[in-house]
Amino acid sequence: MADFFLQALGQVSSPSVLALIIIGVLFGIIGGSIPGFTVTMAILVVFPFTFAMDPVSGVALMVGVFVGGYSGGIVSGVMLGIPGTPSSITTVYDGYPMAQNGEPGRALGIGVAASFIGTLISVAVLVFFGPLIASFSMNFRPWEITALIVFALTLVAGLSNGALLKGLLAAALGLLITTVGYDRNSNLRFDFGVPALGSGFEILPVMIGIFAFSQLMGNLEKLRDEQGKAKGVDTNVTIPYGRILKDMAGQKLNTLRSSLIGSLVGALPGTGGTVANFISYDQAKKFSRHPETFGKGTPSGIVASEASNSAVAGGAFVPTLALGIPGDLPMAIMMGVLILHGITPGPLMFEQNPILVGAIYASLLIGAVIMVLCQLLLVRWFAKISLIPQEILVPVVLMLCAIGSYALNNNLFDIWVLFVFGVIGYLLWKAEVPLTPLILGVVLGNNLERQLFRALELDDSWMTFLTRPLSALFLALAVASVIFSLYQDRKIQRNRLKAQRGDG
């Protein structure tokens, strides 16, 4: 592995790839700095520009956006009190009060340092556990992979904020979308009389439409008031380096614990930075000697939040590379990049594409260093970027999304696909249907179909899924996931009813 890593490091250290990582980190930080733009949106906008690149360059650019995006959310969180990304919500709890107390530079410095350490620890987790999981999963046959994908979809749907049925329906709709066009035996299933649909939908315009279009429209509705509040914010920030070192020296255990939580949560399909964020913040508060200071501007809260959401980056790569199961939505898009370049993530990736795996490790490490330098040197400018009004941002991003979709095949039809799915995504968002299960269904649908049919071709008995131990285990976990989510939904409803009675 060391030889491959050194070869990959040599490729990633070339001037052209380093320049791409720097561009990716800068774009990621800028994207994360703008309220409502999110890491996922930044990755989607950059995705089309990787088409003409070799795999190492394309992945390096995307990893740069990934690392920068998770750290960029702290800027708007501290300066405006508005989380730049969902995974930096708890950063606001203590970062904004610290800024209001006249210490925005200290809050940003602590957050950036915690993000850097969190990313490094997550890379260590990826390096040690990625090959082990890949080696174990070499024993997986079509039955196990099919059952694992089903488990991943139920887990994602179950984490839909108390809307299990909507989450499951969204996942099913995502799978249904992948059935458009010809099947693997060249039989036409659905084309709705449109010849262009014979080959099915391209993943990119569908993903951009469902997530980016609906998100941008939603931002216009949600953030109009917050933009007004942002006027008059002092963006003249100075980082007190000595104070930051002293603060971080007193946060060693908190940083390590939060980074490990972020890495482990990131490795679970369908979780991501938001879940890690809340768990780490809660644990930091419980282990703190002064829990009463949380929410009032304590460094412990900022460290817990930023170390965990940045550590998700490395952790989320573990199931994506080793099993071909994306850990969260940004990872689903990253998986799309690999597929676009003819690389199928999964157990064989570590054997067949070791240099590319090494390039991902190296890009994460280099991206983390570049992120720290960019954040500390340019934080004053990033703070100003966080004030860009959505009225200007939305048309520009939509235009970039349309150009990216067109560039996929130089086909205007893909732009229509983007806007049709954009409207569908917006209507689903208005109906409070979670979009993550829908995207995961679109990404995993073809693989699920392929593995299912391979399993039935090898053995036409459905009972084989239950007689093979690992396959049966994954299906049992899928059922347990749904039952647990039902229990949680009922608990949430009971609490709501109690609260309403209390108000009454």
Side-chain angles (χ1 to χ4, degrees):
M1 187 67 208
D3 293 339
F4 292 119
F5 180 73
L6 290 176
Q7 289 183 45
L9 189 61
Q11 291 190 23
V12 173
S13 301
S14 68
S16 60
V17 179
L18 275 179
L20 287 173
I21 296 177
I22 293 171
I23 292 170
V25 170
L26 282 171
F27 188 76
I29 294 174
I30 292 170
S33 301
I34 300 171
F37 192 75
T38 75
V39 182
T40 307
M41 192 86 75
I43 291 175
L44 276 172
V45 171
V46 171
F47 186 7
F49 294 96
T50 66
F51 295 167
M53 299 178 187
D54 61 89
V56 170
S57 299
V59 168
L61 175 63
M62 298 291 281
V63 169
V65 177
F66 202 66
V67 173
Y70 272 114
S71 75
I74 188 176
V75 178
S76 63
V78 168
M79 301 303 298
L80 308 177
I82 305 169
T85 68
S87 60
S88 61
I89 290 174
T90 56
T91 304
V92 177
Y93 296 168
D94 291 287
Y96 190 51
M98 189 178 283
Q100 286 183 311
N101 292 332
E103 297 181 300
R106 184 186 174 200
L108 289 170
I110 292 171
V112 171
S115 289
F116 176 64
I117 298 172
T119 303
L120 293 185
I121 291 176
S122 75
V123 172
V125 171
L126 175 62
V127 170
F128 284 110
F129 290 98
L132 288 177
I133 295 175
S135 177
F136 173 70
S137 59
M138 288 290 287
N139 299 317
F140 285 18
R141 301 292 303 280
W143 299 274
E144 284 77 21
I145 298 175
T146 301
L148 180 59
I149 293 174
V150 171
F151 171 50
L153 288 171
T154 58
L155 191 59
V156 172
L159 290 166
S160 303
N161 300 322
L164 174 63
L165 183 59
K166 290 181 178 179
L168 291 173
L169 286 174
L173 179 58
L175 295 176
L176 191 63
I177 290 171
T178 63
T179 63
V180 173
Y182 289 95
D183 66 11
R184 59 200 301 269
N185 296 319
S186 301
N187 298 313
L188 183 62
R189 290 176 295 201
F190 312 107
D191 68 352
F192 305 102
V194 180
L197 289 180
S199 55
F201 292 111
E202 290 285 354
I203 289 179
L204 177 66
V206 173
M207 285 199 300
I208 291 178
I210 290 174
F211 189 82
F213 186 94
S214 60
Q215 185 84 20
L216 290 168
M217 293 299 104
N219 288 347
L220 283 179
E221 293 184 10
K222 289 169 60 179
L223 297 176
R224 192 173 298 140
D225 295 338
E226 284 80 352
Q227 287 292 330
K229 293 176 185 175
K231 293 178 181 177
V233 173
D234 182 11
T235 55
N236 292 319
V237 178
T238 303
I239 304 291
Y241 296 102
R243 184 67 184 272
I244 301 303
L245 289 174
K246 188 178 178 182
D247 284 331
M248 292 305 296
Q251 298 291 330
K252 290 189 282 292
L253 283 177
N254 186 17
T255 307
L256 179 62
R257 180 179 57 242
S258 301
S259 299
L260 290 176
I261 289 174
S263 299
L264 293 175
V265 171
L268 297 174
T271 48
T274 309
V275 176
N277 208 229
F278 280 100
I279 293 176
S280 298
Y281 191 85
D282 176 67
Q283 290 302 304
K285 189 174 181 180
K286 284 176 178 170
F287 278 95
S288 174
R289 294 178 180 175
H290 304 286
E292 72 281 0
T293 61
F294 278 70
K296 299 175 182 175
T298 176
S300 301
I302 301 173
V303 167
S305 177
E306 288 301 311
S308 62
N309 66 25
S310 293
V312 167
F317 270 107
V318 174
T320 306
L321 297 181
L323 302 174
I325 304 293
D328 58 10
L329 194 53
M331 273 296 114
I333 300 166
M334 188 69 75
M335 190 168 154
V337 175
L338 296 172
I339 293 171
L340 187 75
H341 287 285
I343 299 161
T344 304
L348 294 176
M349 187 170 173
F350 286 78
E351 285 190 359
Q352 296 176 346
N353 296 286
I355 293 180
L356 187 61
V357 174
I360 291 173
Y361 296 167
S363 299
L364 279 168
L365 286 173
I366 294 173
V369 175
I370 293 172
M371 178 271 292
V372 169
L373 295 175
C374 289
Q375 284 275 31
L376 294 181
L377 295 175
L378 304 175
V379 68
R380 184 175 298 182
W381 298 103
F382 293 140
K384 294 181 188 298
I385 289 169
S386 67
L387 303 179
I388 293 176
Q390 293 290 322
E391 290 80 358
I392 296 174
L393 182 69
V394 169
V396 172
V397 176
L398 272 179
M399 184 182 68
L400 289 173
C401 290
I403 292 173
S405 296
Y406 177 76
L408 183 63
N409 295 311
N410 293 331
N411 188 354
L412 282 175
F413 182 75
D414 287 331
I415 297 181
W416 285 110
V417 171
L418 183 155
F419 283 105
V420 167
F421 277 96
V423 172
I424 292 172
Y426 178 67
L427 293 175
L428 292 173
W429 176 80
K430 293 287 288 183
E432 299 183 348
V433 174
L435 299 180
T436 300
L438 177 57
I439 296 286
L440 264 291
V442 172
V443 172
L444 296 176
N446 286 327
N447 193 22
L448 176 63
E449 180 185 6
R450 185 166 55 251
Q451 299 296 339
L452 177 62
F453 276 88
R454 280 185 60 195
L456 293 177
E457 284 169 358
L458 293 169
D459 184 345
D460 60 2
S461 171
W462 289 88
M463 287 303 294
T464 309
F465 286 98
L466 299 177
T467 55
R468 294 178 68 90
L470 276 177
S471 171
L473 174 64
F474 289 135
L475 291 177
L477 288 173
V479 173
S481 170
V482 173
I483 293 173
F484 181 70
S485 298
L486 281 171
Y487 167 75
Q488 279 191 317
D489 279 7
R490 293 194 62 174
K491 190 176 177 182
I492 290 172
Q493 289 174 0
R494 279 201 302 268
N495 290 337
R496 283 177 183 165
L497 286 173
K498 284 182 181 177
Q500 289 172 358
R501 287 169 187 160
D503 292 339

